[in-house]
Amino acid sequence: MNKQTIISGILLLACTVGPIIATLAYESHRTKDLTADIIARVPENGNFSPRLVKIPVGEKVKIRVRNADTVMHGFAIPALDIDAGEIKAGHNAILEFTPQEVGTYDFYCTTWCSEFHLQMRGIIEVTAQ
Ligand SMILES: [Cu+2]
Protein backbone atom coordinates (compact mmCIF):
# COMPACT_ATOMS: atom_id res chain seq x y z
CA MET A 1 0.00 0.00 0.00
CA ASN A 2 1.52 3.31 -0.98
CA LYS A 3 1.33 6.60 0.92
CA GLN A 4 -1.33 8.08 -1.40
CA THR A 5 -3.67 5.12 -0.81
CA ILE A 6 -3.29 5.43 2.96
CA ILE A 7 -4.03 9.18 2.89
CA SER A 8 -7.06 8.59 0.66
CA GLY A 9 -8.34 5.95 3.08
CA ILE A 10 -7.93 8.28 6.05
CA LEU A 11 -9.73 11.12 4.23
CA LEU A 12 -12.54 8.81 3.17
CA LEU A 13 -12.97 7.59 6.73
CA ALA A 14 -12.95 11.16 8.10
CA CYS A 15 -15.56 12.25 5.54
CA THR A 16 -17.94 9.38 6.31
CA VAL A 17 -17.58 8.85 10.06
CA GLY A 18 -16.79 12.49 10.96
CA PRO A 19 -20.22 13.97 10.17
CA ILE A 20 -21.96 11.13 12.04
CA ILE A 21 -19.85 11.71 15.15
CA ALA A 22 -20.33 15.48 14.88
CA THR A 23 -24.12 15.09 14.56
CA LEU A 24 -24.32 12.77 17.57
CA ALA A 25 -22.13 15.11 19.63
CA TYR A 26 -24.25 18.14 18.67
CA GLU A 27 -27.53 16.36 19.50
CA SER A 28 -26.09 15.13 22.79
CA HIS A 29 -25.07 18.69 23.69
CA ARG A 30 -28.41 20.16 22.57
CA THR A 31 -30.47 17.73 24.66
CA LYS A 32 -28.30 17.88 27.77
CA ASP A 33 -30.20 18.78 30.94
CA LEU A 34 -33.71 18.22 29.54
CA THR A 35 -36.46 18.89 32.07
CA ALA A 36 -38.98 16.98 29.97
CA ASP A 37 -39.06 15.03 26.73
CA ILE A 38 -42.42 14.97 24.97
CA ILE A 39 -43.08 12.68 22.02
CA ALA A 40 -45.71 13.82 19.51
CA ARG A 41 -47.86 11.40 17.54
CA VAL A 42 -51.38 11.69 16.13
CA PRO A 43 -53.97 10.88 18.84
CA GLU A 44 -54.94 7.56 17.24
CA ASN A 45 -51.30 6.52 17.43
CA GLY A 46 -50.35 7.66 20.93
CA ASN A 47 -50.95 11.43 21.20
CA PHE A 48 -48.45 13.52 23.15
CA SER A 49 -46.50 11.39 25.57
CA PRO A 50 -46.42 12.22 28.40
CA ARG A 51 -49.62 14.29 28.47
CA LEU A 52 -48.94 15.62 31.96
CA VAL A 53 -45.62 17.39 32.51
CA LYS A 54 -44.69 18.81 35.91
CA ILE A 55 -42.12 21.58 36.04
CA PRO A 56 -40.90 23.78 38.92
CA VAL A 57 -41.85 27.44 39.20
CA GLY A 58 -39.05 29.98 38.92
CA GLU A 59 -36.48 27.65 37.38
CA LYS A 60 -35.33 27.61 33.79
CA VAL A 61 -36.70 24.50 32.08
CA LYS A 62 -35.72 22.85 28.82
CA ILE A 63 -38.40 20.82 27.07
CA ARG A 64 -37.85 18.82 23.91
CA VAL A 65 -40.83 18.01 21.69
CA ARG A 66 -40.00 15.15 19.33
CA ASN A 67 -42.19 14.54 16.33
CA ALA A 68 -41.99 10.76 16.04
CA ASP A 69 -44.66 10.74 13.37
CA THR A 70 -44.95 10.81 9.59
CA VAL A 71 -46.97 14.04 9.57
CA MET A 72 -46.26 17.61 10.71
CA HIS A 73 -47.19 18.61 14.25
CA GLY A 74 -47.01 21.82 16.22
CA PHE A 75 -46.64 22.66 19.88
CA ALA A 76 -47.84 25.63 21.91
CA ILE A 77 -48.59 26.60 25.49
CA PRO A 78 -50.71 29.69 24.78
CA ALA A 79 -51.13 30.83 28.41
CA LEU A 80 -47.33 30.97 28.76
CA ASP A 81 -46.95 32.64 25.37
CA ILE A 82 -44.89 29.73 24.04
CA ASP A 83 -45.18 28.46 20.49
CA ALA A 84 -42.68 26.09 18.88
CA GLY A 85 -44.39 26.49 15.52
CA GLU A 86 -44.45 23.62 13.07
CA ILE A 87 -42.31 20.58 13.80
CA LYS A 88 -41.66 18.47 10.72
CA ALA A 89 -41.91 14.68 10.81
CA GLY A 90 -38.83 13.24 12.45
CA HIS A 91 -37.68 16.62 13.74
CA ASN A 92 -37.79 18.12 17.20
CA ALA A 93 -38.03 21.47 18.93
CA ILE A 94 -36.28 22.60 22.08
CA LEU A 95 -38.14 25.10 24.26
CA GLU A 96 -36.42 26.95 27.09
CA PHE A 97 -38.30 29.20 29.47
CA THR A 98 -38.77 30.03 33.13
CA PRO A 99 -42.35 29.59 34.40
CA GLN A 100 -43.23 32.48 36.69
CA GLU A 101 -46.47 31.33 38.30
CA VAL A 102 -47.72 28.09 39.80
CA GLY A 103 -50.65 26.76 37.81
CA THR A 104 -51.98 24.38 35.22
CA TYR A 105 -51.48 25.24 31.57
CA ASP A 106 -52.81 23.44 28.51
CA PHE A 107 -50.53 22.61 25.61
CA TYR A 108 -51.75 21.79 22.14
CA CYS A 109 -50.73 20.60 18.73
CA THR A 110 -51.12 23.64 16.49
CA THR A 111 -50.99 21.91 13.11
CA TRP A 112 -53.92 19.99 11.65
CA CYS A 113 -52.51 16.46 11.70
CA SER A 114 -55.43 14.01 11.70
CA GLU A 115 -59.20 13.86 12.07
CA PHE A 116 -58.55 13.61 15.84
CA HIS A 117 -56.22 16.62 15.89
CA LEU A 118 -58.36 18.50 18.43
CA GLN A 119 -57.67 15.72 20.96
CA MET A 120 -53.94 16.31 20.67
CA ARG A 121 -53.29 18.17 23.89
CA GLY A 122 -51.82 17.86 27.36
CA ILE A 123 -51.14 19.75 30.57
CA ILE A 124 -48.10 21.53 31.94
CA GLU A 125 -48.34 21.70 35.71
CA VAL A 126 -46.08 24.35 37.22
CA THR A 127 -45.47 23.36 40.82
CA ALA A 128 -44.09 25.15 43.88
CA GLN A 129 -40.55 24.06 44.73
CU1 LIG B 1 -52.23 18.04 15.42
Side-chain angles (χ1 to χ4, degrees), residues 14-52:
C15 290
T16 52
V17 178
I20 295 169
I21 291 171
T23 302
L24 292 175
Y26 173 70
E27 194 59 23
S28 169
H29 171 74
R30 207 168 77 104
T31 58
K32 193 174 64 175
D33 305 328
L34 284 178
T35 310
D37 198 11
I38 301 173
I39 296 172
R41 293 190 184 94
V42 288
E44 62 271 32
N45 196 22
N47 212 317
F48 283 118
S49 178
R51 295 181 73 188
L52 173 62

Side-chain angles (χ1 to χ4, degrees), residues 89-107:
H91 289 234
N92 60 60
I94 304 276
L95 304 162
E96 293 182 78
F97 60 98
T98 304
Q100 300 297 328
E101 288 183 38
V102 170
T104 304
Y105 306 92
D106 293 326
F107 64 82

Side-chain angles (χ1 to χ4, degrees), residues 67-89:
N67 184 348
D69 224 331
T70 55
V71 296
M72 182 114 59
H73 288 293
F75 182 87
I77 315 168
L80 297 180
D81 200 26
I82 290 169
D83 188 350
E86 295 178 333
I87 307 169
K88 292 179 187 170

Side-chain angles (χ1 to χ4, degrees), residues 72-74 109-114 117 120:
M72 182 114 59
H73 288 293
C109 174
T110 54
T111 301
W112 194 265
C113 53
S114 91
H117 163 72
M120 196 166 171

Side-chain angles (χ1 to χ4, degrees), residues 60-74:
K60 188 173 180 181
V61 296
K62 189 173 183 180
I63 297 175
R64 175 171 66 179
V65 182
R66 286 193 285 159
N67 184 348
D69 224 331
T70 55
V71 296
M72 182 114 59
H73 288 293

